[in-house]
Amino acid sequence: MTASKKITLTRPDDWHLHVRDGEILSSVLEDTAKRFSRAIIMPNLADPVTNTEKAEQYRERIINALPNDYKLTFEPLMTLYLTNRTSTAEIRKAWDSGFIHAVKWYPAGATTNSDKGVSDIVACYDVLEVMAEIGMPLLVHGEVTDPTVDVFDREKTFIDQFLSGIIKNFPTLKVVFEHITTEHAVQFVKDAPAYVGATITAHHMLLNRNALFTGGIRPHHYCLPVLKRENHRKALIEAATSGNKKFFLGTDSAPHSQKAKENACGCAGIYSSHGGIEFYAEIFDKAGALDKLEAFASFHGPDFYGLPRNRDKITLSRKQSPIPETVPFGNESCVPLRAGGTLEWVID
Ligand code: NCD
Ligand code: ZN
């Protein structure tokens, strides 16, 4: 028997989250609101959140769908979906709204609902210039879409072909390299100016790419960027547990229905909000770095975004608790990360 362990942290935030829309919202939001005080809400709806009005309406739908207990304690931090045609006026309007905190760059075709994303980032240079001026962060899905580039190399190629250039051209632009998956990305962020940060998911630190093929094809482990080799998984754990303030928590919990995942053309995305902080506690504990968890989960994110740190606390205990085979998802079901297994940590 291992000794029981407890840790108390400032309440964390999730700096990268998909909650979808409509009846799905009330299925997934409670898992996040129970654990986190705020979450950066991704704008890749089927009808993407491309302007301030849409973001305001989406925010209202989220707040309406929150269980009553969390309506006053949980804050959705909205984002705008960048397109080739986003105007500088729209960017200023979004920033002035006070509830839109960043702009998301999806290379067109890179991932779920990214077809209306950016096909030519140079067309967005005027927008990036304004963002640098006002201090609005650019959140980047860092993968090239070139079909001749191997899917496992798309993050590294993106750094070389796009990200290095953007950072040189816009040295004061705040950039979050989202859900990094490789040692190249870790090194790039470490070497970059202080304005460049990165989110790290739990699943990319828990699993390597073998998890896609254990005993057969495993659609519930398919996400984008796709899982990588073991050396990359280790580099991510090292970065997250290093105390370096450029790295912070972003679950990229991205639920799809069981049907959409268990399909001849299954969707990319892993649902992890049911263990949104617990999986990280497990990772940090195993790495002998529980003392670094609070800064990664609760300090580095708000400091980067220029928002206040949360004031209330949560306590986690090392104790097993079962994970269901499925969770409700509107009138369908969704298979959560480690379905049928156990969480190694629980929230008291
Ligand atoms: C996300 C989704 O389903 O919206 N999927 C994923 O695999 N992470 C989109 C994204 O963040 O790439
Ligand atoms: Zn995402």
Side-chain angles (χ1 to χ4, degrees), residues 16-18 42 44 104 106 111 141 178-179 224 252-254:
H16 185 128
L17 178 68
H18 303 265
M42 287 294 139
N44 63 328
K104 180 70 188 271
Y106 290 105
T111 188
H141 183 108
E178 297 288 339
H179 44 51
L224 287 169
D252 193 22
S253 178

Side-chain angles (χ1 to χ4, degrees), residues 31-189:
D31 276 346
T32 292
K34 234 184 225 173
R35 295 166 172 83
F36 299 104
S37 178
R38 298 168 288 195
I40 282 280
I41 306 293
M42 287 294 139
N44 63 328
L45 301 181
D47 176 19
V49 182
T50 49
N51 61 44
T52 308
E53 278 79 46
K54 284 183 176 176
E56 186 170 16
Q57 290 159 8
Y58 186 31
R59 181 171 180 273
E60 260 164 44
R61 295 198 296 279
I62 292 171
I63 291 170
N64 288 336
L66 277 167
N68 281 333
D69 287 357
Y70 300 111
K71 281 199 204 298
L72 295 174
T73 60
F74 178 74
E75 189 187 359
L77 306 173
M78 307 310 290
T79 61
L80 226 56
Y81 183 107
L82 187 63
T83 75
N84 293 345
R85 290 176 308 280
T86 306
S87 70
T88 55
E90 191 59 56
I91 293 295
R92 289 186 191 278
K93 186 174 168 190
W95 190 240
D96 290 343
S97 78
F99 57 81
I100 300 175
H101 294 269
V103 174
K104 180 70 188 271
W105 168 19
Y106 290 105
T111 188
T112 310
N113 295 332
S114 63
D115 296 355
K116 299 181 181 113
V118 176
S119 59
D120 177 15
I121 191 64
V122 178
C124 301
Y125 272 21
D126 56 340
V127 159
L128 301 188
E129 208 160 284
V130 169
M131 288 170 61
E133 173 205 321
I134 62 185
M136 192 177 201
L138 176 71
L139 315 184
V140 182
H141 183 108
E143 290 190 288
V144 294
T145 56
D146 180 348
T148 67
V149 176
D150 192 279
V151 69
F152 294 100
D153 297 333
R154 286 183 184 180
E155 185 173 273
K156 180 181 186 302
T157 306
F158 185 87
I159 296 171
D160 301 339
Q161 286 186 4
F162 293 97
L163 208 47
S164 326
I166 296 288
I167 281 159
K168 278 200 195 91
N169 288 333
F170 301 94
T172 59
L173 177 66
K174 281 191 186 179
V175 173
V176 182
F177 195 172
E178 297 288 339
H179 44 51
I180 57 168
T181 62
T182 58
E183 57 191 19
H184 312 106
V186 167
Q187 199 54 50
F188 176 80
V189 171

Side-chain angles (χ1 to χ4, degrees), residues 204-265:
H204 288 108
M205 294 193 281
L206 289 168
L207 305 170
N208 65 33
R209 65 191 198 176
N210 290 337
L212 286 162
F213 309 109
T214 314
I217 193 146
R218 300 290 187 150
H220 298 294
H221 289 158
Y222 177 55
C223 63
L224 287 169
V226 72
L227 298 172
K228 300 295 191 302
R229 284 177 184 274
E230 181 64 5
N231 55 304
H232 298 298
R233 187 182 76 86
K234 285 193 175 139
L236 296 176
I237 295 175
E238 247 179 68
T241 59
S242 67
N244 185 328
K245 61 183 203 276
K246 289 175 158 180
F247 300 106
F248 41 93
L249 185 157
T251 62
D252 193 22
S253 178
H256 291 278
S257 73
Q258 182 168 11
K259 257 201 241 154
K261 296 281 296 172
E262 296 173 13
N263 194 290
C265 186

